[in-house]
Amino acid sequence: MIELTINGKEIKTEKGKTILQAALSNGIKIPNLCYDKRVVPFGACRVCVVEIEGQRKLEASCATLAGDGMVVLTDTPKVRKARQAVLEFMLVHHPLDCPVCDKAGECDLQELVYEYGKPNGRFVKEKKHSPPDTKGPLVELTANRCILCGKCVRICSEFQGRGALGFIGRGFSTVVQPAFGEAIECDYCGQCIDVCPTGALLNKSLKYKARPWTLEEKDTICPFCGCGCTVTLGVKDGKILRARGREDNGRNEGNLCGRGRFGFDYIYSENRLTSPLIRKGDELVPSSWEEALNYISDRLRNIIDSHGPSSIGAIGSPRCTNEENYLFQKFIRDVIGSDNIDSSAAFGYGLAEKAWEMSFGQSGHRIDLKSPAGKDVILVVESDLSVTHPVFGLNILKAKRNGSQLIVADSRETKLTRHSSHWANIKQGTGVALLNGIMKVIMERGLFDDKNTLKIKGFSDLEEILKDYTPERVSEITGIGVDELVAISETFAKAKTRMLTLSVGVSENTKGLDMVLAAANLINLVGESPDALQIPAEYANSFGLYQMGIRPDAGPGYKISDNTGKGISDMLYWAGPNMPDIRDADNGSWEELDKLMALKALYIMGTDPAVTFPDSSNITRRLKSLDLLIVQDIALTDTAKLAHVVLPASSWAEKDGTYTNAEGITQKVCKVTELTGQSFPDWQILKNLSLAMGKDLGIEDMGDIVEEINSLPPVHILPVNRSFNPVNYAWSEGTDVSYPLNMVVRDLLQHAGSMSTRSKTLGLVSSEARIEINERDAERFGISDNSHVRITSRQGTVYLKATVTDKVPDGTVYVPSHFPHSGVSTLTCHSARKGISMDAVRVEAA
Ligand code: FES
């Protein structure tokens, strides 16, 4: 630490900090326009100049290191005069169009000019006259207002890892533009809008809708991925008009991705439900709440009387709050008397949790968003974390910038592969083989602590299985070289600190329980702490719903249930332990299967399995076969269209409650806007339905639910109890002459699940599923960019537009599953162990 004096105050700071950083961290304000702590100081604006005792010249405090014993003055007449001159220069060209600029009222330049007084205007030069330039669907660039501070350029390039903006031109004609002045092609995160100190970069969706001072701002938690970012919502006349990040705010420290910033308008989609609906014939007809609740109550009671409570199942929602999920499982367990309850976490976080228990003997697997910091080596396997969990992805990039070695094993080019120290370009779906191969190399070279590792249960089984994973065979399976495999293995094993990370989720295939177990085996082999394995829960409350007991085998607080109920596989796939595999069924045996299932009613809250779950044709068939399907959601989803009764629920912004993010941190979700139509928060619907069924859940208000959750016995963290669970690599459905390509389902940056596809703003960037295909495969099958393609798997056929790209490898095509109308989930099938297995497809020009 060093000591210096600023404005007479003695302060301490770490060596290597600038004067500006030292001042700000000690509560001393120095005005600045081009400084942002996330990027390297630029020293462009000179607003931050200060006097340093013993030096004649004023220095830019953002670009001058604090020195031991330094005496600094930040607000002397000399400093103020210099700042006023700097501002005067800036205003030579800057248009004084504040009355029509959306930034007015929160513009840093405007604030400083106001503080330092109107400049004399000694320099007379014609104002710039470039009209607003829409550089893409979400951002408006008005070059006149740009002061060339470079914050947008640097945040995009250094921090986001994109580099979509740059300086073009020289001298007075310099402007910030995308490359060659063309339309912006970027992550559409909008971080450039947040950092712009003037109105040069503006949020197009807000333009002329509100002046900043007319917005009432409230913090809440983003409803999309498991990062749990804090967003500041701006509300006017009861409507959300803006979402932004504020510096250092929340787990995201003010950073937001495009979903969090622009996607909130999904709550205003046209297909929001405004009243309960009851099926009458082929139609869903609006009804009163009383009629709908009585209808459900009568039908559920009849089914319980005729078939027993275990004929009823339920699917909870990672979009609903902890309190709602808690009450949902309480309703199903206490009012209905069934343990048949599960969620989409069965395809993602549930697998991570299961592997965690099997490999480390602990429950409640959580990540730390900041865990990448300071790791010697970070290994990412078959995951695009910059897409699935953007803020976690940013932290991985930051660690790399600060010296971590980043090894990314992936089949296609991603932001992480572009910024990696090494991209192991493996074939998609071969991650298990890669991890086994790494372990084999580590074992053969004795790069593990054999004294402790040999004692771990299952070591000899692991050794036995790994015999087949010689570097040569793994090279053949994965497509990477033997030397490359050995180098990766040695780098990972020899690192002093390391992290292995991957994502698992319903909208990604090729990764399932086996992949997570293989990753955990590697962590055990190198004797790392279980925390070195980071698998983030996929959606906003996937972690929380699991804690709240939305699972068939445990109640709230991980309390193991005596009666294990049916999970997703049993309820939707006819694939339980005693069930014949669906593919064995010929047309005549469906009724037989339905009888075996013994599930007569399903209550689905906030989930759209007919679109987002794999093998959706068979799910649709299953849902249609039920005696009673109740869907409670905010919109008329494809699943809701199949229901006997539909209940309108309020959205994330229309209720209070909590989400628990992938780190296991519970955060408040706030009501910022009024209910839509006759919708109610899910917990109120459940409370009223219980009363209609003659049972009182003992809940009057939200406070009662919170009290019950808080009274759950604390979860004891068990000591680490390691086991090896060896797994073999198993190739998914094979390609052949009829189905020559592998199809991989992966997420898009602009979407999380299907809910975000209802956002009009996000739809301006990404509104349809496209198949990504390599140029050579495209040529081979007669497909051109933007043309329509018929895609046929052994499960079904869909039609999508093609994007021909060199970012994907030969022999593999990539599709997203977010869009309901695309029908992509009809092409896929389900296997909990292997993931939603990679499917073989053929593609033809349509
Ligand atoms: Fe220091 Fe701009 S903040 S020069």
Side-chain angles (χ1 to χ4, degrees), residues 20 31-35 42-49 60-63 149:
L20 180 63
N32 58 81
L33 287 172
C34 71
Y35 171 73
F42 197 44
C45 73
R46 316 312 279 184
V47 166
C48 68
V49 288
S61 60
C62 72
C149 70

Side-chain angles (χ1 to χ4, degrees), residues 175-208:
V175 285
V176 165
Q177 287 278 318
F180 307 110
E182 291 178 353
I184 206 164
E185 263 202 50
C186 63
D187 289 351
Y188 300 101
C189 62
Q191 296 265 75
C192 57
I193 299 170
D194 270 355
V195 298
C196 181
T198 71
L201 286 161
L202 291 173
N203 181 340
K204 258 182 86 180
S205 65
L206 181 69
K207 194 148 187 231
Y208 296 143

Side-chain angles (χ1 to χ4, degrees), residues 375-493:
K375 295 289 185 294
D376 285 347
V377 174
I378 297 168
L379 174 60
V380 182
V381 184
E382 288 199 278
S383 301
D384 195 353
L385 290 151
S386 296
V387 163
T388 56
H389 297 80
V391 165
F392 190 46
L394 286 177
N395 289 344
I396 293 174
L397 291 180
K398 187 174 170 189
K400 162 70 176 40
R401 281 198 304 280
N402 290 337
S404 298
Q405 274 205 69
L406 175 60
I407 301 171
V408 183
D410 211 334
S411 62
R412 59 166 296 169
E413 186 185 325
T414 66
K415 191 195 274 187
L416 289 181
T417 65
R418 279 197 295 278
H419 289 271
S420 65
S421 319
H422 179 77
W423 172 15
N425 193 357
I426 61 170
K427 291 181 200 156
Q428 184 72 35
T430 61
V432 169
L434 175 79
L435 290 165
N436 280 353
I438 292 174
M439 284 187 272
K440 175 75 175 164
V441 173
I442 291 174
M443 266 194 190
E444 281 193 340
R445 283 167 169 66
L447 298 172
F448 65 103
D449 171 9
D450 52 354
K451 217 166 55 201
N452 289 318
T453 309
L454 288 173
K455 289 185 210 148
I456 299 175
K457 202 164 63 190
F459 180 81
S460 52
D461 297 338
L462 180 72
E463 216 174 13
E464 187 58 33
I465 272 204
L466 293 185
K467 277 183 185 157
D468 289 339
Y469 291 88
T470 60
E472 291 71 24
R473 177 162 179 251
V474 171
S475 166
E476 201 179 303
I477 297 170
T478 60
I480 63 168
V482 168
D483 292 347
E484 191 179 357
L485 173 67
V486 171
I488 292 169
S489 311
E490 289 188 344
T491 304
F492 192 74

